[in-house]
Amino acid sequence: MGRLQQAPDVVKIARDLNLASADPVKAILDHCRTRVASWVTGFKGHLTLQRFHQLIDNQLNLHHIVVKNDQELDDLIREQTGRGEAIFETLKDEFAGGTEAITFKLRKADVGMRQHLAVIDGRGQRAARVFFGKRHEGSHLLCLSPVQLSFVFRRTHATTNAAEERLMDRIGGELAFYPPL
């Protein structure tokens, strides 16, 4: 983890979140844990792991779509570009280039729609990573400062081992199997 603590992307995330610490990884993890714990504390009712994940998605204004075949991918692209979300035209190329999941901030979210849409590639061998992909994408939103929440999209590559992605994997791992539950 020493290299991760010194990685410029990780240091920048900590700085953007106004987290001053000699250990930016720990500071970011603690930041995420604190945010999530505050949501859990405010939850009324019995909290199961499924409800926990729904709570996080609600708080992050995030909806997940898993595409399981090429037809579903084509339909999603057609639907979203038809709504004026032109960025979805790049989705096939993103997935073909190694992206496993991508989160878009919808520019034209209709009433009742979530502001962020995470598209997870669940086709073929990637199907085994769908559950974790959902948690990983939420981790990116959990670590964004208010200014950064204005982003258009973020991608997760299967082969990329960038420091930011490794950090999101750590956060996503905690969210996937939230220890207090």
Side-chain angles (χ1 to χ4, degrees):
M1 182 166 38
R3 286 190 294 164
L4 191 56
Q5 291 170 337
Q6 298 166 1
D9 290 347
V10 172
V11 172
K12 182 179 182 329
I13 291 168
R15 187 176 50 245
D16 290 346
L17 291 170
N18 293 318
L19 304 173
S21 173
D23 185 346
V25 173
K26 181 181 180 324
I28 293 165
L29 288 169
D30 287 346
H31 167 80
C32 293
R33 289 177 189 128
T34 300
R35 283 188 74 190
V36 169
S38 73
W39 301 335
V40 168
T41 300
F43 182 80
K44 306 290 186 232
H46 178 68
L47 191 61
T48 63
L49 191 58
Q50 181 179 359
R51 286 184 179 163
F52 170 73
H53 292 151
Q54 290 170 344
L55 173 66
I56 298 236
D57 293 343
N58 288 343
Q59 291 293 328
L60 296 174
N61 205 6
L62 174 64
H63 178 69
H64 304 278
I65 293 181
V66 177
V67 293
K68 298 177 188 139
N69 57 54
D70 291 342
Q71 184 62 53
E72 288 183 4
L73 179 58
D74 291 340
D75 291 346
L76 176 64
I77 292 168
R78 189 172 27 262
E79 173 190 335
Q80 293 300 325
T81 57
R83 293 183 51 264
E85 300 288 352
I87 191 73
F88 278 81
E89 292 174 2
T90 67
L91 194 52
K92 271 189 178 179
D93 290 337
E94 292 287 347
F95 284 164
T99 297
E100 291 183 343
I102 189 166
T103 300
F104 296 95
K105 180 177 182 181
L106 299 178
R107 294 178 183 267
K108 300 180 180 188
D110 291 335
V111 174
M113 290 179 70
R114 302 270 174 96
Q115 186 177 24
H116 300 103
L117 181 62
V119 182
I120 317 295
D121 189 353
R123 300 173 297 164
Q125 293 182 336
R126 290 183 174 176
R129 293 188 44 84
V130 165
F131 177 78
F132 188 71
K134 290 179 180 181
R135 307 292 63 92
H136 180 100
E137 290 305 298
S139 298
H140 281 290
L141 294 176
L142 194 57
C143 290
L144 292 179
S145 69
V147 170
Q148 292 169 315
L149 280 171
S150 64
F151 78 97
V152 176
F153 69 95
R154 172 166 311 279
R155 61 178 70 82
T156 302
H157 293 280
T159 57
T160 298
N161 201 18
E164 180 180 352
E165 295 303 321
R166 291 194 326 265
L167 177 61
M168 295 309 118
D169 285 346
R170 293 266 316 267
I171 297 165
E174 283 195 29
L175 295 178
F177 306 103
Y178 190 60
L181 292 179

